[in-house]
Structure formats: C-alpha cells, structure tokens
Amino acid sequence: MFRSMLVRSSASAKQAAIRRTFSSGSVPERKVAILGAAGGIGQPLALLMKLNPLVSSLSLYDIANTPGVAADVGHINTRSEVVGYMGDDNLAKALEGADLVIIPAGVPRKPGMTRDDLFNINAGIVKNLCTAIAKYCPHALINMISNPVNSTVPIAAEIFKKAGMYDEKKLFGVTTLDVVRARTFYAGKANVPVAEVNVPVIGGHAGVTILPLFSQATPQANLSSDILTALTKRTQDGGTEVVEAKAGKGSATLSMAYAGALFADACLKGLNGVPDVIECSYVQSTITELPFFASKVRLGKNGVEEVLDLGPLSDFEKEGLEALKPELKSSIEKGVKFANQ
C-alpha cells in the first residue's frame, strides 16, 4: 500500500488511503527512529516515514538542526507524532521504545571518492550509534543505510556482540536502492511498465559486489547479452552516475530515501504479521561461504524469518558471483577489524 501511496500524485488519494487503513483501528503502535534525520537522506526519509500510516511515533535524531526538521514534517496531517532530538545527550530519548531504527547518518560520497574513502568517518559514527542502540532499544530492528554498507553491517554486528545482545535476525543492510535502480533500468530496456517489474539483486552494496539477477526478472523480456551486461554495469555504477550528475553538490539522497522508506515499510509489515513480505537485504547469511550477503529475505515478527536461496543463475551471473566474493570478503573483514580495535 505504501508503495502505491508514494507514486500517486493526488493528495486526496493519499488521505483516502490513510483513512481506509485506520477505519479498522487495528494497526499496532510502532515507533520509528531515524538517526541522521537532518541530512540529505534523512530529511526526505523523515517525510516519507511521516506519510507511512504504519508509523505511530516518529523520532528524528541528529547532531544538529533536527528540531527544525521535526517541526516541518510534524505539520503534515498524518497519524504519527514527531519529535526531534539533537546532540549526544538526547540520543537515549530518541531511541527508547523504538521498534525500528533507520541509520542514514554519516557523510555522503563526493566526486572521486570511493565508498572506501568514506570508511573511517562513517564507521566511527556507526560504532557510536550502535553502542547506544544496544543500550536503549536492544530489541529494535536495525536498517543500516550508512555507507559502506558492506562494512558498516559487520561493524554493527560486532558492537552488538560485545554488548551481549546481537540478534542476526534484526540487523539489515539496506540494498533496496540497487533493486529500485535495476527495476527502473530494466523496465526502460524491456519496454514494460516499471510498476510491474521485479529484479532480485544479490551480493553487497558497492560497485562489483552489486549483482542484479536479470535472468530472474519479471516480467521476462528477451534482451541480448550485451544489453544485460550494460544494465548490470549501470546498476553497479548507479551511485556514481548520480554523484557525477550532481557535479560535486551531492549524492543519491532522494532515491536512497525512497528505497529506505520502501524497505522500512516492508519491515513494519513483517513486524505486524503481514504474510509473505519478501525483500532483498544484506544480512548474516549461510547462502554462500561469506558471513554477510544480500539476497531475498522473508520478513516477519522477529525480523528475518528466512533467507531464501539464490535460485538458478545464468552463466554471466555465476561469473559475477565469483568475481564479487573477494571484494565483499575484504569489506566484511575490514568492518570486523575496525569494530574490534
């Protein structure tokens, strides 16, 4: 429902949809905290979560400017109450009672920067935030957006292990933007309605570790191997495409906020007991020999209900899978090492 709500242009349609959702009065109370809510991803993400009728309490946290963001989105006439928290002293209040914590905090990528260049800054931010989560809302689902996701998710896992409260079912790396891009690019080449397209994306969330499985795309189109190779490359380079198009003035903030809101909505539906909620996510996994891997995941009341297998791969995809493993392994080890320093 949330996905269709996002793409409708009519405000009255949105309000009608929200009223229909609440006519039964059966929607559970859910607190969602966004850490990094005043940033380039955080602000549009706060707006989209305010529009989500599954959210009853929206907690916005950042090191500065959060009260203004909270005042702004708080005027929107939807269900959730919004509170903005600012600075280290208020992090506990922002987190207490949260069912879902979304973390877009950190610095964005600039032209010429690799996701690796972001590592030391964002890794430190994630480490501090996860230490607080372990203390103040240890049972919340965690949606990690802060890059490099291939490393920040293992960092979070190590921090939670140290605190004695790690639950691998509740920690997610958000790779939904790769799925969103793969759907959009595929629909354009296959000449099919984008709303009907689905493309699983596996691996990780950076460069060659991103592997869209166009052989499993629906609806299936008969595209040449050259086109599929180009679509794969474009999906892998989607972030760079945006960074270059913005000419140093930003990175993929709006599309990432949309993707983050889609995945958060799926997590909330899972928590609320909606059956068969399946999304791709970067989670602790035994699907490959790597400890963390992105693939299709069934979401439920405890977070990850089931990590689904990869399904049949084309020869091109099998090659891509083997090619991504060394880089993904290195990124995971880098995160674990950082967390344990």
Side-chain angles (χ1 to χ4, degrees):
M1 193 211 111
F2 181 50
R3 188 171 302 182
S4 64
M5 198 171 94
L6 283 175
V7 295
R8 280 185 202 144
S9 58
S10 154
S12 61
K14 283 177 188 166
Q15 289 304 317
I18 289 162
R19 281 196 298 274
R20 277 200 306 277
T21 300
F22 289 103
S23 60
S24 66
S26 63
V27 181
E29 300 283 306
R30 295 292 180 200
K31 176 176 174 175
V32 174
I34 301 176
L35 308 184
I41 296 168
Q43 290 198 44
L45 181 58
L47 168 64
L48 293 172
M49 296 315 293
K50 180 70 174 109
L51 296 180
N52 189 324
L54 302 180
V55 181
S56 59
S57 172
L58 187 58
S59 174
L60 306 180
Y61 173 82
D62 215 318
I63 53 172
N65 304 322
T66 341
V69 178
D72 196 354
V73 298
H75 292 175
I76 295 169
N77 59 323
T78 55
R79 175 194 187 196
S80 52
E81 294 180 9
V82 183
V83 184
Y85 299 97
M86 188 168 72
D88 292 343
D89 295 346
N90 288 305
L91 183 52
K93 288 181 196 168
L95 291 171
E96 279 166 355
D99 297 285
L100 173 65
V101 180
I102 312 172
I103 311 179
V107 297
R109 201 148 61 102
K110 297 181 175 65
M113 278 177 97
T114 65
R115 284 183 173 85
D116 222 36
D117 295 331
L118 303 177
F119 181 84
N120 284 325
I121 302 170
N122 288 356
I125 292 169
V126 165
K127 193 172 182 178
N128 292 337
L129 293 175
C130 288
T131 300
I133 290 167
K135 190 171 180 181
Y136 299 113
C137 57
H139 303 298
L141 300 191
I142 315 299
N143 287 3
M144 184 69 69
I145 292 173
S146 303
N147 270 321
V149 166
N150 291 354
S151 299
T152 54
V153 170
I155 288 169
E158 292 300 308
I159 298 302
F160 295 146
K161 283 176 192 173
K162 284 182 181 177
M165 52 67 60
Y166 178 50
D167 183 348
E168 71 273 13
K169 293 181 176 180
K170 297 192 171 181
L171 176 60
F172 301 90
V174 179
T175 59
T176 313
L177 181 52
D178 303 324
V179 176
V180 165
R181 285 174 173 147
R183 287 171 176 162
T184 301
F185 303 157
Y186 176 87
K189 289 294 183 185
N191 199 24
V192 292
V194 70
E196 295 171 13
V197 169
N198 202 4
V199 182
V201 182
I202 65 168
H205 182 58
V208 297
T209 69
I210 300 166
L211 184 61
L213 302 183
F214 290 114
S215 70
Q216 297 179 25
T218 52
Q220 193 51 243
N222 191 21
L223 299 177
S224 72
S225 60
D226 286 352
I227 288 175
L228 292 175
T229 301
L231 284 175
T232 300
K233 184 87 169 77
R234 191 178 178 201
T235 304
Q236 291 171 339
D237 293 344
T240 302
E241 186 178 314
V242 175
V243 168
E244 290 175 353
K246 289 188 175 182
K249 301 292 193 294
S251 59
T253 52
L254 302 173
S255 53
M256 184 61 246
Y258 169 79
L262 280 186
F263 188 72
D265 180 65
C267 286
L268 291 169
K269 284 174 176 164
L271 283 176
N272 291 351
V274 176
D276 292 322
V277 179
I278 295 173
E279 293 289 340
C280 292
S281 183
Y282 180 66
V283 295
Q284 183 172 313
S285 172
T286 56
I287 290 291
T288 69
E289 65 272 26
L290 298 171
F292 293 92
F293 197 81
S295 63
K296 287 196 285 191
V297 172
R298 190 188 311 280
L299 300 166
K301 292 184 177 182
N302 299 306
V304 177
E305 293 290 324
E306 184 185 6
V307 179
L308 303 177
D309 64 35
L310 301 181
L313 306 185
S314 69
D315 289 343
F316 175 73
E317 290 160 358
K318 287 175 185 171
E319 287 172 20
L321 176 59
E322 293 311 310
L324 71 81
K325 286 178 182 177
E327 183 164 329
L328 188 51
K329 182 173 186 278
S330 171
S331 297
I332 293 167
E333 288 170 352
K334 187 174 182 178
V336 171
K337 183 180 176 187
F338 178 88
N340 289 316
Q341 279 170 354

